[in-house]
Amino acid sequence: MEINWIVIGIVAVLVVLLVVLTVRKNLKEKKKLENLLNNDFKKAEKDRVDAEDAANEK
C-alpha cells in the first residue's frame, strides 16, 4: 500500500490554515467583546449624598 504524501500534505496545510484563521477571528471577536463590556455600563446613582464628596457638587 503506497502512501500518497501529496494528498496528506495538502490536507495538513488546509488544517493548519483553518486553525490559524479560527484563532485570528476569535482574537478579533474577543477584543470587540472586551471593548463592548468595558464601555457599555451605566453608572450607579448614589442614594446618599456625601457632603464631603466634591464629585457631588453641581
Side-chain angles (χ1 to χ4, degrees), residues 15-31:
V15 167
V16 169
L17 185 64
L18 180 67
V19 168
V20 168
L21 291 176
T22 303
V23 168
R24 288 182 67 198
K25 183 173 181 177
N26 283 343
L27 288 175
K28 191 182 298 184
E29 291 294 322
K30 180 182 176 186
K31 193 178 292 186

Side-chain angles (χ1 to χ4, degrees), residues 23-57:
V23 168
R24 288 182 67 198
K25 183 173 181 177
N26 283 343
L27 288 175
K28 191 182 298 184
E29 291 294 322
K30 180 182 176 186
K31 193 178 292 186
K32 281 184 187 178
L33 179 62
E34 184 176 332
N35 286 336
L36 175 70
L37 293 176
N38 283 337
N39 296 324
D40 187 36
F41 64 92
K42 296 182 180 180
K43 293 183 179 179
E45 295 182 14
K46 287 188 174 181
D47 292 333
R48 186 178 64 87
V49 176
D50 190 3
E52 295 179 3
D53 191 4
N56 285 328
E57 294 179 5

Side-chain angles (χ1 to χ4, degrees), residues 1-16:
M1 186 169 161
E2 189 175 324
I3 298 175
N4 195 349
W5 289 106
I6 296 173
V7 174
I8 292 174
I10 292 172
V11 170
V13 168
L14 289 176
V15 167
V16 169

